[in-house]
Amino acid sequence: MLSLSRVVFIGRSYDEYMRMFSLKEEDIAKKKILDCPAGACSFTATGSEKGIDITASDIAYHFPVEQLNEKGSEDILHIDETMSKVTEAYNWDFHENIAELVKHRKRALYTCTNHMSKFPRQYVAATLPSLPFTEEEFDITLSAHFLFTYSNQLDFKFHLDTIKELLRVTKEEVRIFPLVDLEGKKSRYLNVLREELKNDAIWIEEKVAYEFQKNAHTMLRLKKV
């Protein structure tokens, strides 16, 4: 059974998303976007306030907002307690220091859960590699800090099945960030996945203007064929 204790509920900000995925507001203003898995990211909330059509999906959304807010606060405290031991593994340009990082993560959590409580239909519970959406329901799908990040925990079949499912519900392209695992090493699945997906999408690896975890500066763009 799904346990909230096994879910990590933290999130990035709207500004981080725009950098991670090389997005421009004028390019996505009239697009229908899926963020999956979205976690406690504020991209959906902030983007929606700007008039952008965004849906968030995550396994965590099976749980009530109040529990998610509490779990997110606990996870942020864990970041605060442990990150000081591994500061050398990160670049501190966007987040000046751990205190600033914690502040940004708290703001993202609050913005996300506050918006979720007001607009619950925009937050869809789903357990990958299966999504409750129709074929090509979204123009663009974004997927951050899940695939490739957890290459040691999630096997090749899960990666392949999940990417194919993201492509199924997407009309134009899927963007995945980053392409390295938790140790900052390029995922061992990339080359085999490129071959497996050659008939489904055009594979483009693109460097972006964002790097917090060292070596995590490249996203994958999968353009539907």
PDB file of all heavy atoms in Angstrom, residues 184-198:
ATOM      1  N   GLY A 184      25.369  12.654  -9.629  1.00  0.00           N
ATOM      2  CA  GLY A 184      25.837  13.578 -10.645  1.00  0.00           C
ATOM      3  C   GLY A 184      26.418  12.901 -11.869  1.00  0.00           C
ATOM      4  O   GLY A 184      27.065  13.550 -12.698  1.00  0.00           O
ATOM      5  N   LYS A 185      26.197  11.597 -11.996  1.00  0.00           N
ATOM      6  CA  LYS A 185      26.686  10.838 -13.141  1.00  0.00           C
ATOM      7  C   LYS A 185      25.576  10.663 -14.179  1.00  0.00           C
ATOM      8  O   LYS A 185      24.421  10.429 -13.815  1.00  0.00           O
ATOM      9  CB  LYS A 185      27.181   9.458 -12.698  1.00  0.00           C
ATOM     10  CG  LYS A 185      28.336   9.507 -11.709  1.00  0.00           C
ATOM     11  CD  LYS A 185      28.716   8.120 -11.250  1.00  0.00           C
ATOM     12  CE  LYS A 185      29.844   8.160 -10.229  1.00  0.00           C
ATOM     13  NZ  LYS A 185      30.167   6.798  -9.724  1.00  0.00           N
ATOM     14  N   LYS A 186      25.927  10.772 -15.449  1.00  0.00           N
ATOM     15  CA  LYS A 186      24.952  10.618 -16.522  1.00  0.00           C
ATOM     16  C   LYS A 186      24.298   9.244 -16.416  1.00  0.00           C
ATOM     17  O   LYS A 186      24.980   8.226 -16.245  1.00  0.00           O
ATOM     18  CB  LYS A 186      25.624  10.795 -17.887  1.00  0.00           C
ATOM     19  CG  LYS A 186      24.663  11.208 -18.986  1.00  0.00           C
ATOM     20  CD  LYS A 186      25.396  11.745 -20.198  1.00  0.00           C
ATOM     21  CE  LYS A 186      24.405  12.302 -21.209  1.00  0.00           C
ATOM     22  NZ  LYS A 186      25.079  12.868 -22.396  1.00  0.00           N
ATOM     23  N   SER A 187      22.975   9.204 -16.533  1.00  0.00           N
ATOM     24  CA  SER A 187      22.247   7.959 -16.360  1.00  0.00           C
ATOM     25  C   SER A 187      22.698   6.893 -17.355  1.00  0.00           C
ATOM     26  O   SER A 187      22.870   7.158 -18.545  1.00  0.00           O
ATOM     27  CB  SER A 187      20.748   8.198 -16.530  1.00  0.00           C
ATOM     28  OG  SER A 187      20.040   6.958 -16.536  1.00  0.00           O
ATOM     29  N   ARG A 188      22.867   5.694 -16.850  1.00  0.00           N
ATOM     30  CA  ARG A 188      23.297   4.576 -17.690  1.00  0.00           C
ATOM     31  C   ARG A 188      22.212   4.119 -18.664  1.00  0.00           C
ATOM     32  O   ARG A 188      22.471   3.322 -19.567  1.00  0.00           O
ATOM     33  CB  ARG A 188      23.720   3.400 -16.813  1.00  0.00           C
ATOM     34  CG  ARG A 188      22.602   2.814 -15.947  1.00  0.00           C
ATOM     35  CD  ARG A 188      23.154   1.715 -15.052  1.00  0.00           C
ATOM     36  NE  ARG A 188      22.150   1.057 -14.255  1.00  0.00           N
ATOM     37  CZ  ARG A 188      21.722   1.479 -13.088  1.00  0.00           C
ATOM     38  NH1 ARG A 188      22.203   2.611 -12.594  1.00  0.00           N
ATOM     39  NH2 ARG A 188      20.804   0.811 -12.409  1.00  0.00           N
ATOM     40  N   TYR A 189      20.986   4.622 -18.493  1.00  0.00           N
ATOM     41  CA  TYR A 189      19.885   4.204 -19.357  1.00  0.00           C
ATOM     42  C   TYR A 189      19.785   5.020 -20.644  1.00  0.00           C
ATOM     43  O   TYR A 189      19.057   4.644 -21.569  1.00  0.00           O
ATOM     44  CB  TYR A 189      18.549   4.326 -18.612  1.00  0.00           C
ATOM     45  CG  TYR A 189      18.437   3.461 -17.377  1.00  0.00           C
ATOM     46  CD1 TYR A 189      17.783   3.938 -16.247  1.00  0.00           C
ATOM     47  CD2 TYR A 189      18.967   2.183 -17.339  1.00  0.00           C
ATOM     48  CE1 TYR A 189      17.662   3.156 -15.113  1.00  0.00           C
ATOM     49  CE2 TYR A 189      18.855   1.397 -16.204  1.00  0.00           C
ATOM     50  CZ  TYR A 189      18.201   1.885 -15.094  1.00  0.00           C
ATOM     51  OH  TYR A 189      18.082   1.112 -13.977  1.00  0.00           O
ATOM     52  N   LEU A 190      20.475   6.138 -20.724  1.00  0.00           N
ATOM     53  CA  LEU A 190      20.250   7.079 -21.816  1.00  0.00           C
ATOM     54  C   LEU A 190      20.471   6.478 -23.200  1.00  0.00           C
ATOM     55  O   LEU A 190      19.620   6.615 -24.085  1.00  0.00           O
ATOM     56  CB  LEU A 190      21.124   8.317 -21.634  1.00  0.00           C
ATOM     57  CG  LEU A 190      20.671   9.288 -20.538  1.00  0.00           C
ATOM     58  CD1 LEU A 190      21.758  10.301 -20.242  1.00  0.00           C
ATOM     59  CD2 LEU A 190      19.390   9.991 -20.950  1.00  0.00           C
ATOM     60  N   ASN A 191      21.594   5.827 -23.410  1.00  0.00           N
ATOM     61  CA  ASN A 191      21.908   5.316 -24.748  1.00  0.00           C
ATOM     62  C   ASN A 191      20.918   4.250 -25.214  1.00  0.00           C
ATOM     63  O   ASN A 191      20.491   4.242 -26.378  1.00  0.00           O
ATOM     64  CB  ASN A 191      23.333   4.761 -24.781  1.00  0.00           C
ATOM     65  CG  ASN A 191      24.382   5.850 -24.667  1.00  0.00           C
ATOM     66  OD1 ASN A 191      24.130   7.000 -25.023  1.00  0.00           O
ATOM     67  ND2 ASN A 191      25.555   5.508 -24.157  1.00  0.00           N
ATOM     68  N   VAL A 192      20.536   3.371 -24.309  1.00  0.00           N
ATOM     69  CA  VAL A 192      19.599   2.309 -24.683  1.00  0.00           C
ATOM     70  C   VAL A 192      18.207   2.882 -24.923  1.00  0.00           C
ATOM     71  O   VAL A 192      17.504   2.482 -25.848  1.00  0.00           O
ATOM     72  CB  VAL A 192      19.549   1.219 -23.590  1.00  0.00           C
ATOM     73  CG1 VAL A 192      18.687   0.041 -24.048  1.00  0.00           C
ATOM     74  CG2 VAL A 192      20.946   0.731 -23.252  1.00  0.00           C
ATOM     75  N   LEU A 193      17.826   3.852 -24.115  1.00  0.00           N
ATOM     76  CA  LEU A 193      16.521   4.485 -24.306  1.00  0.00           C
ATOM     77  C   LEU A 193      16.456   5.225 -25.638  1.00  0.00           C
ATOM     78  O   LEU A 193      15.421   5.207 -26.316  1.00  0.00           O
ATOM     79  CB  LEU A 193      16.237   5.459 -23.159  1.00  0.00           C
ATOM     80  CG  LEU A 193      15.803   4.835 -21.833  1.00  0.00           C
ATOM     81  CD1 LEU A 193      15.824   5.873 -20.724  1.00  0.00           C
ATOM     82  CD2 LEU A 193      14.406   4.226 -21.962  1.00  0.00           C
ATOM     83  N   ARG A 194      17.546   5.873 -26.012  1.00  0.00           N
ATOM     84  CA  ARG A 194      17.573   6.581 -27.292  1.00  0.00           C
ATOM     85  C   ARG A 194      17.261   5.619 -28.440  1.00  0.00           C
ATOM     86  O   ARG A 194      16.497   5.939 -29.353  1.00  0.00           O
ATOM     87  CB  ARG A 194      18.940   7.232 -27.502  1.00  0.00           C
ATOM     88  CG  ARG A 194      19.002   8.075 -28.780  1.00  0.00           C
ATOM     89  CD  ARG A 194      20.408   8.517 -29.107  1.00  0.00           C
ATOM     90  NE  ARG A 194      20.900   9.480 -28.122  1.00  0.00           N
ATOM     91  CZ  ARG A 194      21.880   9.236 -27.271  1.00  0.00           C
ATOM     92  NH1 ARG A 194      22.482   8.053 -27.281  1.00  0.00           N
ATOM     93  NH2 ARG A 194      22.267  10.158 -26.410  1.00  0.00           N
ATOM     94  N   GLU A 195      17.832   4.431 -28.376  1.00  0.00           N
ATOM     95  CA  GLU A 195      17.593   3.431 -29.414  1.00  0.00           C
ATOM     96  C   GLU A 195      16.159   2.909 -29.360  1.00  0.00           C
ATOM     97  O   GLU A 195      15.508   2.754 -30.397  1.00  0.00           O
ATOM     98  CB  GLU A 195      18.585   2.270 -29.235  1.00  0.00           C
ATOM     99  CG  GLU A 195      18.482   1.175 -30.282  1.00  0.00           C
ATOM    100  CD  GLU A 195      18.811   1.641 -31.688  1.00  0.00           C
ATOM    101  OE1 GLU A 195      19.530   2.647 -31.836  1.00  0.00           O
ATOM    102  OE2 GLU A 195      18.332   1.003 -32.652  1.00  0.00           O
ATOM    103  N   GLU A 196      15.655   2.667 -28.160  1.00  0.00           N
ATOM    104  CA  GLU A 196      14.306   2.123 -27.991  1.00  0.00           C
ATOM    105  C   GLU A 196      13.225   3.104 -28.457  1.00  0.00           C
ATOM    106  O   GLU A 196      12.159   2.695 -28.922  1.00  0.00           O
ATOM    107  CB  GLU A 196      14.066   1.762 -26.526  1.00  0.00           C
ATOM    108  CG  GLU A 196      14.809   0.530 -26.044  1.00  0.00           C
ATOM    109  CD  GLU A 196      14.166  -0.764 -26.493  1.00  0.00           C
ATOM    110  OE1 GLU A 196      13.000  -0.723 -26.934  1.00  0.00           O
ATOM    111  OE2 GLU A 196      14.840  -1.805 -26.419  1.00  0.00           O
ATOM    112  N   LEU A 197      13.511   4.389 -28.334  1.00  0.00           N
ATOM    113  CA  LEU A 197      12.497   5.410 -28.618  1.00  0.00           C
ATOM    114  C   LEU A 197      12.662   6.077 -29.984  1.00  0.00           C
ATOM    115  O   LEU A 197      11.977   7.051 -30.279  1.00  0.00           O
ATOM    116  CB  LEU A 197      12.535   6.480 -27.521  1.00  0.00           C
ATOM    117  CG  LEU A 197      12.171   6.007 -26.109  1.00  0.00           C
ATOM    118  CD1 LEU A 197      12.570   7.054 -25.083  1.00  0.00           C
ATOM    119  CD2 LEU A 197      10.681   5.696 -26.008  1.00  0.00           C
ATOM    120  N   LYS A 198      13.544   5.559 -30.815  1.00  0.00           N
ATOM    121  CA  LYS A 198      13.850   6.219 -32.079  1.00  0.00           C
ATOM    122  C   LYS A 198      12.652   6.306 -33.021  1.00  0.00           C
ATOM    123  O   LYS A 198      12.603   7.195 -33.886  1.00  0.00           O
ATOM    124  CB  LYS A 198      15.016   5.526 -32.775  1.00  0.00           C
ATOM    125  CG  LYS A 198      14.743   4.097 -33.218  1.00  0.00           C
ATOM    126  CD  LYS A 198      15.995   3.495 -33.834  1.00  0.00           C
ATOM    127  CE  LYS A 198      15.759   2.053 -34.268  1.00  0.00           C
ATOM    128  NZ  LYS A 198      16.993   1.447 -34.833  1.00  0.00           N
TER     129      LYS A 198
END
